[in-house]
Amino acid sequence: MRIPQTVFRTASLTLMATLAAYAAGNADPVYRGLRESAIADTRVVENVVLRRDAGTLTLKNGALGFTAPAMGRDTVAVFIGEGEFVFTPATPLEKNYLKSLTGQESVREAFDRALFCFSDETGQEIRRDARSPASDGKMADALADFRKRLRRRSDEPKSFLEALLTGETMDNVEADLLADLYHPGQAGFFSAYLHGRKHSDLRFHVKPRGVLPFLPSPEEVALINVDPGAKDEGIWCLTHFQKEIETGAASADEDKRVVEAESYRIETAIARNDHFTGKTGIKFHAVTAGDRVVKLGLVPTLRVTRITSAGREVAFIQEDRHQDSSLYAVLPEAMAQGSAHDLIIEYLGDKVVTKEGGGNFSVGARESWYPSVNTFHDHARYDLIFKVPRQYMLVSVGKLTKEWTEQDAACSEWTSETPLAVAGFNYGTFKKKAIVDAKSGFGIEGYATSEAPDYLKLAGNQAAGGVISPARLMDDTMVQAQNAMRLYDAWFGKSEFERIAVTQQPQFNFGQSWPTLVYLPMSAFLDATQRWSLMGIQNRLTEFVDEVTPHEVSHQWWGHMVGWSTYHDQWLSEGFATFSAGLYLQFTEKNFDAYLKYWQHARERIMEKNRFGHRPGDAGPLWMGLRLRTTENPGAYTELVYSKGAYVLHMLRYLMYEPKEGDTAFIAMMHDFVSQNLNRNASTETFQRVAEKHIRPVMDLTGKGTLNWFFAEWVYGTAIPKYKFDYTVTPAEGGKWLLKASLTQSEVGPGFAMPVPVYADFDGRIVRLGTLRMIGNTTMDKIEVPLPQKPKRVMINYFHDVLEQ
């Protein structure tokens, strides 16, 4: 069934006005009882101890009120009185991270109010040790205050952490409780929301299904301090169960999914007033046994009107867009493991596309413009049908299989021939160009508008060169994309996609890449004169424009052909793409200095102190991913995951380089990594295993064929060595020359090891003389090398082979 043309013409305002009431009315009755429950039973508590993994909560004295039971079980309790929370992270890495934020390796927090939400045996524990009755007091007010805080979703979050926790997939506590109530065999969770004396919103979670799956993360235990603007706000700890860590059972490969998507059929209509109407059919199979509740991603401004499965109505949960409005489907029966299911979801709303002037549209909600499960994790087939006003052009992922018109609508259908991690589209009054690479048969398309968005029009008219027209530079971006595809095909393996669309977006300074679809910023469609007229001398902007197209094109490999498993592994996408942009500069820039400057500037960004006196590396190791971004180190995530992540791959390249064989071993490793993880989600451990298959003798520092030393230093560690190299060159017998040198490595731990290459410049010809193995803070001062002629200079790390201070 397709969306009727009457829906395309306009969205029903009456229907929009009744959506919230309809959603509430269609919600599961057990859920509604949880949502509206009040304090029903109060108890006096004294020295009640709740031990959960690495945390201990002691309710020293006070009153505790339970809400009405759901399906005969306690699920929510409020405490008012004197309590204490003690927590020590289970791993050294997490202890160090906690100390970097708080100055301590453990937490001891007194609290006077707490909300407990649980599907485990907490209720029975407390009732066993508590006395009754107790006065209600301010219990109802405390419950209302906690609920208001947890249910509030802000369109303008005050911090990065708040944006994460209140985003499009924010937790709905009652929906999560419902999922466990309907699955009695599921190990229950425990969450404590503490109003502490020092920290007013401290959150402790123990969740077998995963604490923060949206990161994504498989870890089950978390301690989070929500305090926008405070220097110690952050995810203080995020680990696996303590027992898993102690027994070595903890794994990044743990699968916390309830379902796995197989295919999507998405019908979308965009009206002249930009209202958005859609119907999505999802086919999936159950990963677990016994679950009924399925969480879906959907931007809150799109309101669901109906969900069906096999012709039957399906209850769903979607609260008001300003609240915890994540979408949940409540299936009528529990799913058997591996069983096949389908959902058809109908919805409409706005704020997915926004007019920017000049025929430009901002396409928002790029991951959540359609209902989805496990975006970027599951690779699924897509069939996409769009209906848009005839004056506009729409380009999407996959392959265009059909075009037609219906009255005043331009219609198109796009299908994916390979599984995709996400689907998207771009939209505007585009001009289109297309070429086919003669060598590979790969199709390259360009889409850009003739006019700039409104915010640039006035500036464009004043800029040298006249009015800004993005389409004028479309050929340049297409050539860059073509050259990048050729290079990456050779270095990483042939693309599984047959085409790529390089499209212009109105945003000025960021790009994105979806499978077969690249969104390039407006700055990439300005020439140097226009950029100078608009911005003055902006060296970093020029570098960004030179790098953004090859960076985004490389995401066809890093992020789409090969996904990333958890937030710890996102450097395998962004770091690899940053490395790929450097590789592109090496092979396309006439001046080799541009390539060397690329890595020099990356090093400077990693080492530069911010206004608080912090370097990015002070935030923690690369492996910490998004958690690196903190109040006083906001740039740490970008500079480590992008720049240091790129450096890790760059250093492996030069460790594997051999003068006679060149980059043969490195290229083989990259081909191997792609082929082994095609349409799968790779982890840091996965990449290490592939790298070890291609290990070279110079890399095997332990003699055991492993790269544990390298990953411990550069991925899981924070040390960056400092080097001091001194040398003399004196005449020797037979017309030769003798190099005498010393090398000092400092500011690292005692076991930090790194092979450091030494180069000589013979009249512009750079020759590697050898490699020095440095361990710990040490000096090697008896270096002697005979040379055939006098070098112009001798140096270490000419190609920025090792990241150094």
Side-chain angles (χ1 to χ4, degrees):
M1 176 180 173
R2 290 187 173 179
I3 297 171
Q5 185 65 20
T6 54
V7 173
F8 166 74
R9 290 198 185 104
T10 181
S12 168
L13 297 179
T14 302
L15 182 58
M16 289 291 291
T18 61
L19 282 177
Y22 180 86
N26 194 39
D28 180 272
V30 176
Y31 167 78
R32 190 50 56 192
L34 286 165
R35 190 78 174 180
E36 298 169 356
S37 61
I39 299 295
D41 182 18
T42 58
R43 302 292 178 105
V44 174
V45 292
E46 185 174 345
N47 292 324
V48 173
V49 180
L50 301 174
R51 293 184 175 88
R52 296 292 183 272
D53 202 74
T56 300
L57 296 111
T58 303
L59 311 182
K60 295 182 177 181
N61 61 76
L64 185 141
F66 291 99
T67 61
M71 297 178 65
R73 296 170 60 182
D74 290 318
T75 57
V76 176
V78 176
F79 170 79
I80 298 177
E82 182 184 356
E84 184 180 62
F85 173 65
V86 178
F87 179 85
T88 301
T91 67
L93 189 150
E94 289 290 346
K95 288 179 182 177
N96 290 337
Y97 182 76
L98 177 62
K99 187 175 182 180
S100 73
L101 287 175
T102 68
Q104 304 291 328
E105 291 187 351
S106 61
V107 175
R108 184 178 295 272
E109 180 85 14
F111 60 90
D112 56 14
R113 296 191 299 279
L115 173 71
F116 303 123
C117 302
F118 47 88
S119 58
D120 62 2
E121 305 305 319
T122 296
Q124 295 180 24
E125 276 188 65
I126 295 174
R127 287 185 182 277
R128 184 184 64 229
D129 297 330
R131 293 179 288 112
S132 63
S135 172
D136 245 357
K138 299 181 179 179
M139 207 74 71
D141 291 340
L143 175 62
D145 182 65
F146 276 115
R147 281 178 168 170
K148 181 179 179 181
R149 185 185 308 173
L150 295 180
R151 293 175 179 178
R152 182 179 62 244
R153 179 182 176 274
S154 174
D155 289 331
E156 297 180 359
K158 299 180 181 67
S159 69
F160 178 65
L161 178 63
E162 188 174 79
L164 285 178
L165 296 179
T166 64
E168 294 167 358
T169 58
M170 72 178 290
D171 283 343
N172 177 320
V173 174
E174 290 81 15
D176 292 341
L177 287 169
L178 183 73
D180 280 9
L181 290 174
Y182 278 163
H183 187 183
Q186 170 65 37
F189 75 84
F190 173 84
S191 291
Y193 303 89
L194 308 177
H195 183 273
R197 299 285 171 82
K198 292 181 290 185
H199 301 94
S200 62
D201 192 354
L202 197 60
R203 306 179 183 187
F204 174 57
H205 301 286
V206 180
K207 294 187 174 183
R209 293 180 184 268
V211 181
L212 301 173
F214 58 83
L215 281 180
S217 163
E219 286 92 348
E220 302 90 358
V221 181
L223 181 60
I224 305 170
N225 178 39
V226 182
D227 191 1
K231 63 180 295 185
D232 61 352
E233 184 191 46
I235 302 171
W236 283 2
C237 183
L238 183 56
T239 65
H240 288 281
F241 287 126
Q242 193 168 20
K243 287 185 177 179
E244 289 183 344
I245 294 169
E246 291 170 352
T247 61
S251 171
D253 297 326
E254 294 177 15
D255 192 350
K256 304 295 186 181
R257 295 174 299 169
V258 172
V259 300
E260 180 178 8
E262 295 176 353
S263 66
Y264 292 85
R265 179 178 173 84
I266 305 171
E267 301 178 35
T268 302
I270 303 174
R272 286 186 295 272
N273 61 0
D274 302 337
H275 279 296
F276 202 87
T277 306
K279 177 190 288 187
T280 293
I282 311 175
K283 292 185 178 181
F284 58 87
H285 66 264
V287 175
T288 58
D291 275 302
R292 285 182 56 189
V293 178
V294 178
K295 188 174 185 179
L296 301 112
L298 185 67
V299 63
T301 57
L302 293 178
R303 310 305 297 171
V304 173
T305 59
R306 188 185 188 202
I307 300 181
T308 58
S309 178
R312 299 171 61 186
E313 295 285 334
V314 173
F316 63 90
I317 299 164
Q318 188 187 36
E319 296 294 341
D320 181 83
R321 56 168 290 194
H322 297 296
Q323 294 189 332
D324 44 354
S325 51
S326 294
L327 176 63
Y328 297 77
V330 185
L331 304 182
E333 293 98 19
M335 296 181 288
Q337 188 174 25
S339 58
H341 302 268
D342 67 86
L343 293 175
I344 297 177
I345 305 165
E346 300 173 32
Y347 48 94
L348 54 81
D350 56 18
K351 297 189 178 180
V352 174
V353 294
T354 305
K355 286 186 175 74
E356 299 289 351
N360 293 272
F361 288 83
S362 288
V363 179
R366 292 184 183 173
E367 299 174 26
S368 53
W369 61 275
Y370 61 96
S372 63
V373 294
N374 312 318
T375 300
F376 280 110
H377 193 287
D378 294 350
H379 288 69
R381 305 276 180 175
Y382 283 83
D383 183 6
L384 307 164
I385 296 172
F386 295 94
K387 297 180 180 181
V388 303
R390 292 180 66 174
Q391 67 265 39
Y392 300 120
M393 181 180 294
L394 185 142
V395 54
S396 188
V397 298
K399 181 179 180 180
L400 177 62
T401 56
K402 185 180 179 182
E403 287 184 288
W404 70 99
T405 59
E406 292 181 7
Q407 298 181 30
D408 55 349
C411 309
S412 60
E413 183 169 6
W414 306 73
T415 58
S416 62
E417 298 177 336
T418 59
L420 306 181
V422 66
F425 67 93
N426 205 353
Y427 177 61
T429 53
F430 291 133
K431 289 188 174 181
K432 176 185 176 182
K433 290 187 177 181
I435 60 174
V436 176
D437 183 69
K439 183 177 180 180
S440 65
F442 191 86
I444 297 151
E445 303 162 15
Y447 296 81
T449 58
S450 296
E451 297 182 38
D454 286 347
Y455 75 90
L456 276 181
K457 278 186 177 178
L458 178 60
N461 287 332
Q462 296 172 346
V467 175
I468 295 171
S469 176
R472 185 173 63 87
L473 292 182
M474 187 161 53
D475 288 342
D476 293 346
T477 60
M478 291 176 67
V479 168
Q480 287 181 325
Q482 182 179 21
N483 288 336
M485 292 298 301
R486 286 177 174 177
L487 179 65
Y488 302 153
D489 265 3
W491 277 70
F492 310 141
K494 185 173 175 58
S495 170
E496 68 171 338
F497 306 122
E498 294 183 355
R499 63 178 280 270
I500 189 170
V502 181
T503 70
Q504 168 233 329
Q505 63 178 357
Q507 290 85 348
F508 189 78
N509 61 353
F510 85 93
Q512 272 188 312
S513 183
W514 265 212
T516 74
L517 176 65
V518 172
Y519 302 88
L520 288 183
M522 266 301 307
S523 55
F525 294 86
L526 303 177
D527 60 34
T529 300
Q530 291 169 332
R531 290 198 303 271
W532 183 87
S533 297
L534 289 168
M535 308 291 293
I537 298 175
Q538 292 278 339
N539 291 332
R540 184 64 193 109
L541 176 61
T542 299
E543 292 172 1
F544 169 76
V545 170
D546 290 341
E547 300 158 13
V548 65
T549 300
H551 178 106
E552 299 302 340
V553 168
S554 76
H555 275 305
Q556 300 302 297
W557 282 261
W558 317 127
H560 298 307
M561 288 171 58
V562 179
W564 42 277
S565 183
T566 76
Y567 80 100
H568 297 297
D569 312 304
Q570 197 168 359
W571 71 277
L572 298 176
S573 174
E574 297 299 353
F576 279 36
T578 304
F579 167 86
S580 301
L583 190 71
Y584 176 88
L585 291 179
Q586 179 184 352
F587 285 95
T588 58
E589 288 289 333
K590 295 180 180 179
N591 187 349
F592 190 73
D593 283 347
Y595 173 69
L596 296 180
K597 287 180 180 178
Y598 179 84
W599 291 106
Q600 174 64 21
H601 293 163
R603 171 190 166 276
E604 290 170 355
R605 290 193 294 273
I606 295 168
M607 300 305 304
E608 185 177 12
K609 290 185 178 181
N610 64 18
R611 64 188 180 93
F612 296 104
H614 301 312
R615 299 183 308 181
D618 297 336
L622 171 62
W623 190 73
M624 299 299 282
L626 282 169
R627 292 171 63 195
L628 294 164
R629 181 171 175 174
T630 62
T631 301
E632 291 196 350
N633 214 334
Y637 164 75
T638 299
E639 301 311 342
L640 294 184
V641 170
Y642 286 68
S643 299
K644 188 179 180 183
Y647 245 109
V648 169
L649 195 57
H650 177 73
M651 288 188 288
L652 282 174
R653 176 190 177 187
Y654 280 97
L655 282 171
M656 300 176 79
Y657 183 86
E658 291 288 345
K660 291 183 179 179
E661 300 177 13
D663 287 300
T664 301
F666 179 80
I667 292 172
M669 178 188 74
M670 299 304 287
H671 278 241
D672 199 6
F673 179 58
V674 171
S675 64
Q676 286 191 29
N677 294 280
L678 188 62
N679 295 322
R680 299 174 62 186
N681 300 305
S683 66
T684 299
E685 295 85 352
T686 300
F687 177 62
Q688 180 178 338
R689 288 194 292 269
V690 172
E692 287 172 347
K693 285 178 57 180
H694 299 269
I695 196 168
R696 310 291 285 185
V698 70
M699 304 162 68
D700 191 8
L701 300 190
T702 64
K704 297 180 180 179
T706 74
L707 289 172
N708 290 341
W709 66 272
F710 181 86
F711 282 80
E713 292 170 4
W714 296 107
V715 179
Y716 306 111
T718 59
I720 297 177
K722 184 175 183 179
Y723 293 109
K724 184 175 185 296
F725 181 66
D726 296 305
Y727 72 93
T728 61
V729 177
T730 57
E733 295 182 357
K736 296 185 177 182
W737 297 79
L738 181 64
L739 166 67
K740 292 184 178 181
S742 68
L743 176 62
T744 299
Q745 177 176 270
S746 61
E747 300 192 23
V748 294
F752 187 99
M754 197 65 202
V756 180
V758 180
Y759 294 93
D761 179 351
F762 295 108
D763 298 323
R765 184 170 59 93
I766 307 300
V767 176
R768 190 171 72 186
L769 302 178
T771 301
L772 305 174
R773 182 181 296 185
M774 307 298 292
I775 301 176
N777 295 297
T778 187
T779 297
M780 189 178 294
D781 57 6
K782 295 182 179 180
I783 304 168
E784 294 188 2
V785 182
L787 301 175
Q789 65 185 81
K790 184 178 181 180
K792 185 177 180 180
R793 54 181 174 146
V794 180
M795 57 279 184
I796 60 169
N797 294 335
Y798 174 77
F799 296 102
H800 301 283
D801 314 53
V802 180
L803 176 59
E804 60 174 309
Q805 295 190 35

